[in-house]
Amino acid sequence: MGSTRSTRSGRHVALVRPDELVELEAEGLDAALQRPGAGQRYLAEDWMPLRMLADGTMLVATSARADDASLADALAEELGAPVTFVPVDSWTLRRAVLGRFHGAVADAAANELHDRNPTLSARVVFSRAQKVTGGALLLVVLACAVAWPAATVIAALTAASLVFLAGTGFKFVVATQGARYDVVERITGAEVAALDDDDLPTYTVLVPVFREANIVAQLIDNLGGLDYPVHKLEVIILTEEEDQETRDAIAVANPPAHFRVISVPKGHPQTKPRACNVGLYVATGDFLVIYDAEDTPDPDQLKKALIAFERGGESTVCVQAALNYFNARENVLTRMFTLEYSYWFDYMLAGLDHSSLPIPLGGTSNHFRTASLVELGGWDPYNVTEDADLGIRASAVGYRVGVINSTTMEEANTSIPNFIRQRSRWIKGYMQTSLVHARRPVALIRQIGLRRFSAFVLLIAGTPATFLCVLPFSALTVVTFLVPQGSLQAVFPVWVLWLCLFNFLVGNAIMIYLSMMGPFKRGTFHLILWSLLNPVYWTLHSIAAYKALWQLLTRPHYWEKTEHGLTTHGPGGGAVGDSAGGGAPGDAG
């Protein structure tokens, strides 16, 4: 059986051999011994009481402290009985804690941020003040429309025109600032090679998946290529409780020992950020990164992130790697998708970083200091663009979000209906984030300053507003050319028509130019002329924006899932099955 040893206080502490663990676990746990709310404590202190043994000693599981006499003394005092330790691996202990505190973990993953500070959570879509203000504004607009219909329409068109131009102009200015990084390699291969594996901290990789059985083998291959010592790396695949098919596929794929699978307890809302909060609950890494199931990150990305964190100091809470697509040549939509992301991650985020403006994070390849992420309250599970919200919250408390010269390759969306579903969720999340931080605008200005607040308004609130303007402006442009000028001038003054047309044309010209910038950094010059289709691409965004607005009012927390694995191209750029590429990963969820 077990062995015994004496502690400094003279108590005898039994030590159960690991090969007795199966028999001990089969006898079950005494739930009455585990105190409510103590799950995080058990994980932090590396112990958990299991049950009272027949000899009057308390059976306690621990993964690394079975020889810790001071722990034995303290637990004997706290639990009122001598302690019998059973050594377990850390994941056995973590799963035991998750199993015992199943309901508490589910509730904390969904509501901890709201419980801590309701004003920062999107659980309530419109605050009372926003409802009153919005209702009053709507009544004023309706009254004006009845009393002065022509003047009201003219005022609305003028305001929308200025919003459209302000939003696109802001992106132009920031992206051109980011263009100065075209020829700068901010973290070199030599710096990465100089790192000593023995000195590296522990790193957690979170991969939330849902109904991804078709791509988990590719996931394991992709993340298995990370250049990081495996004994300091834990890859946690987060699956929803009912998603047994994906867990079965993972088991068949036979992942390496540092890959672990966690079942996310059932709960509402069933979203990616809620799953990530469960992963954060059990994560042990000093640093943490999020990847989607289909991601192929640069092998040295984790090491580059560590260098960036060291350079940035404690104020840098997160660094964002660039995203780009391996199937850019597949069809027109994938080309437009790739152009957009090339400009956004290679220029726009670099410009925001250069100007010290709030950075809305991408949904993947975000690297965090784990302790700082916990301090921020993790992700908001009620916000369907939780990454953008987290970037703003980090900025509000003085943290910096940086970018690194590393890329994660994904699959560009190949289907227009799929694109509308995905983009409407993103735009709805921008609307949610705008509403959340508009609850306390004065406080936010005091925290981040007027300049950064203005950038937040123009980018986070301005992006949905800009997309909402596209369809009306497109219709007005068509009408301007088709309807006799005399008929139009009977309704609208000439200056209004010219203003709207000018701003719409200039705004589209700006976005075409920015799209054309994207290929230069990566040498994908074959995409440049496709930028001329950006007005059509933005029309799809406008459709998605109106869908997002409708869902904001009717299904604000609904996570509209994107179909994965639709591409016929592999990660190497060739067709699936070609030597240039493997199985096709899925689309960013």
Side-chain angles (χ1 to χ4, degrees):
M1 294 296 292
S3 61
T4 61
R5 57 183 173 76
S6 296
T7 68
R8 288 173 294 180
S9 62
R11 295 187 179 91
H12 290 285
V13 179
L15 183 62
V16 179
R17 295 195 307 268
D19 58 8
E20 299 173 2
L21 178 60
V22 174
E23 177 184 350
L24 292 169
E25 286 185 332
E27 297 178 22
L29 306 180
D30 184 354
L33 291 176
Q34 287 93 46
R35 298 178 176 130
Q40 287 283 33
R41 179 191 174 193
Y42 294 151
L43 291 177
E45 298 181 5
D46 187 33
W47 64 276
M48 179 179 174
L50 303 179
R51 65 178 179 278
M52 187 71 75
L53 298 177
D55 63 1
T57 62
M58 184 72 69
L59 182 64
V60 175
T62 180
S63 65
R65 303 185 65 183
D67 293 322
D68 189 336
S70 61
L71 176 64
D73 287 338
L75 293 184
E77 184 74 27
E78 179 177 340
L79 300 174
V83 171
T84 296
F85 280 130
V86 52
V88 298
D89 68 72
S90 65
W91 275 100
T92 298
L93 180 61
R94 281 183 266 183
R95 285 198 174 94
V97 171
L98 279 178
R100 168 63 185 88
F101 298 96
H102 184 276
V105 171
D107 180 70
N111 298 307
E112 183 173 346
L113 178 65
H114 177 268
D115 293 343
R116 180 190 297 187
N117 190 341
T119 62
L120 294 179
S121 170
R123 177 173 162 180
V124 175
V125 181
F126 298 95
S127 67
R128 180 177 300 178
Q130 288 172 337
K131 290 178 180 178
V132 171
T133 303
L137 183 61
L138 180 60
L139 289 176
V140 170
V141 171
L142 290 176
C144 290
V146 171
W148 308 285
T152 302
V153 173
I154 291 171
L157 284 174
T158 303
S161 181
L162 295 176
V163 166
F164 186 87
L165 191 62
T168 53
F170 171 77
K171 291 179 180 178
F172 175 77
V173 171
V174 173
T176 51
Q177 289 179 335
R180 70 182 60 194
Y181 292 123
D182 276 356
V183 295
V184 176
E185 184 180 24
R186 290 191 279 172
I187 299 175
T188 66
E191 289 175 295
V192 172
L195 294 176
D196 187 340
D197 283 359
D198 292 336
D199 296 332
L200 296 180
T202 54
Y203 224 114
T204 296
V205 175
L206 296 185
V207 190
V209 298
F210 184 49
R211 296 175 183 166
E212 314 274 16
N214 60 323
I215 59 171
V216 292
Q218 184 67 47
L219 177 161
I220 292 168
D221 285 343
N222 292 344
L223 298 186
L226 290 171
D227 176 20
Y228 210 83
V230 295
H231 66 285
K232 294 186 176 184
L233 180 66
E234 60 179 14
V235 179
I236 304 177
I237 304 176
L238 300 159
T239 65
E240 296 296 330
E241 190 172 302
E242 71 270 27
D243 191 9
Q244 188 59 46
E245 182 182 4
T246 298
R247 285 191 291 276
D248 290 342
I250 295 171
V252 170
N254 191 28
H258 64 287
F259 280 64
R260 301 289 180 168
V261 180
I262 288 293
S263 294
V264 177
K266 285 184 179 180
H268 175 78
Q270 190 177 55
T271 58
K272 172 183 172 181
R274 191 179 77 93
C276 288
N277 283 338
V278 173
L280 183 60
Y281 188 93
V282 299
T284 61
D286 298 309
F287 295 87
L288 179 149
V289 61
I290 306 294
Y291 289 124
D292 285 334
E294 76 283 6
D295 286 354
T296 306
D298 286 343
D300 62 356
Q301 188 173 113
L302 272 58
K303 291 182 177 180
K304 281 190 172 182
L306 290 177
I307 294 172
F309 278 119
E310 183 178 1
R311 286 183 184 176
E314 293 298 322
S315 64
T316 300
V317 67
C318 174
V319 293
Q320 168 76 62
L323 304 180
N324 216 283
Y325 297 109
F326 59 80
N327 62 327
R329 295 177 182 265
E330 187 161 354
N331 59 34
V332 175
L333 185 60
T334 62
R335 289 177 171 91
M336 300 307 298
F337 222 126
T338 305
L339 282 167
E340 178 188 19
Y341 264 45
S342 296
Y343 126 74
W344 180 262
F345 283 97
D346 292 344
Y347 298 106
M348 189 69 187
L349 292 192
L352 292 171
D353 185 21
H354 169 73
S355 302
S356 298
L357 299 176
I359 293 180
L361 303 174
T364 178
S365 305
N366 307 318
H367 299 255
F368 296 95
R369 295 184 189 273
T370 307
S372 299
L373 180 59
V374 172
E375 176 192 335
L376 288 169
W379 295 268
D380 183 0
Y382 293 94
N383 191 316
V384 296
T385 312
E386 78 295 338
D387 35 30
D389 166 70
L390 184 55
I392 302 304
R393 278 195 282 127
S395 178
V397 296
Y399 280 125
R400 176 179 171 271
V401 175
V403 293
I404 54 174
N405 59 314
S406 181
T407 301
T408 296
M409 300 303 291
E410 297 189 319
E411 175 195 353
N413 223 318
T414 62
S415 159
I416 289 178
N418 213 35
F419 173 85
I420 297 295
R421 286 195 296 271
Q422 183 189 63
R423 199 51 62 104
S424 64
R425 174 173 59 80
W426 293 356
I427 296 171
K428 181 172 68 174
Y430 269 47
M431 294 175 177
Q432 288 178 313
T433 302
S434 301
L435 288 169
V436 165
H437 295 283
R439 294 170 185 168
R440 47 188 194 94
V442 175
L444 187 59
I445 291 172
R446 288 173 179 167
Q447 289 173 321
I448 66 176
L450 183 59
R451 185 177 67 92
R452 302 175 83 194
F453 176 80
S454 300
F456 160 74
V457 172
L458 288 168
L459 187 61
I460 303 301
T463 294
T466 300
F467 291 147
L468 289 171
C469 291
V470 170
L471 280 179
F473 282 170
S474 298
L476 184 60
T477 301
V478 171
V479 169
T480 300
F481 288 106
L482 296 182
V483 176
Q485 293 299 308
S487 300
L488 279 176
Q489 292 175 18
V491 179
F492 301 108
V494 175
W495 68 267
V496 171
L497 296 175
W498 277 110
L499 176 65
C500 293
L501 181 61
F502 172 80
N503 284 351
F504 183 57
L505 293 177
V506 170
N508 273 286
I510 286 173
M511 294 314 300
I512 289 172
Y513 176 79
L514 292 178
S515 295
M516 286 182 170
M517 288 172 56
F520 281 89
K521 189 170 184 178
R522 296 178 181 271
T524 53
F525 301 113
H526 62 280
L527 294 174
I528 290 178
L529 289 180
W530 292 96
S531 301
L532 297 174
L533 293 179
N534 196 77
V536 179
Y537 187 55
W538 268 39
T539 300
L540 295 179
H541 281 80
S542 192
I543 294 170
Y546 281 97
K547 181 180 180 182
L549 181 60
W550 175 251
Q551 284 196 352
L552 181 72
L553 300 174
T554 59
R555 307 177 73 184
H557 305 130
Y558 173 61
W559 187 280
E560 190 150 32
K561 180 161 171 57
T562 312
E563 292 298 325
H564 294 187
L566 300 180
T567 183
T568 58
H569 289 57
V576 173
D578 292 349
S579 59
D587 172 52

